[in-house]
Amino acid sequence: MLGRIERLNVSADVKALLRDLARITLRVGEAVVSIGRKIIDFAFELVKSYPSTTFGLATGLIVGTLVAGIPLLGPLLGPILTPLLSAFGLTLGALEDLKDGGVRRRIDALERSVATVLANA
């Protein structure tokens, strides 16, 4: 986990924040759950499984933030355009991921693993 964080192409401050998040734990009865690691694992898996969706959302957020920074018009347009551009980027990315067959590949892998288990039973 920490090795994956260290290999990210981000600033040292972001890496430090991610390491702090990874250390967060939650006590449930007698068990201790590493909730921070679960969140980071989920985020890595999401980016790995749906790269176009993640890129589309990030692009929409960045463009919306840039529009919000325009003098005079930014404060008026930013709150309206940022969510719209984010949703638009998310939608285009999700459509691209569906066309790419990322979901289909995961279903095929699941089918193969179930078939292997059934064949060995």
Side-chain angles (χ1 to χ4, degrees), residues 26-48:
L26 181 66
R27 185 178 205 85
V28 180
E30 295 297 318
V32 176
V33 179
S34 298
I35 192 74
R37 286 182 183 258
K38 299 282 185 194
I39 291 170
I40 292 174
D41 282 339
F42 176 76
F44 279 135
E45 184 63 31
L46 192 65
V47 170
K48 180 180 163 188

Side-chain angles (χ1 to χ4, degrees), residues 69-116:
I70 297 172
L72 298 176
L73 291 178
L76 297 172
L77 296 177
I80 296 167
L81 287 181
T82 301
L84 289 175
L85 290 170
S86 299
F88 183 69
L90 180 78
T91 303
L92 288 180
L95 289 174
E96 188 64 32
D97 278 336
L98 288 174
K99 280 193 280 186
D100 182 36
V103 174
R104 185 70 223 158
R105 281 193 304 271
R106 293 188 72 183
I107 292 172
D108 289 342
L110 177 63
E111 286 175 355
R112 283 191 303 274
S113 66
V114 169
T116 304

Side-chain angles (χ1 to χ4, degrees), residues 13-26:
D13 292 335
V14 172
K15 290 178 185 178
L17 287 172
L18 288 173
R19 282 192 300 271
D20 290 343
L21 177 63
R23 288 189 204 109
I24 295 175
T25 58
L26 181 66

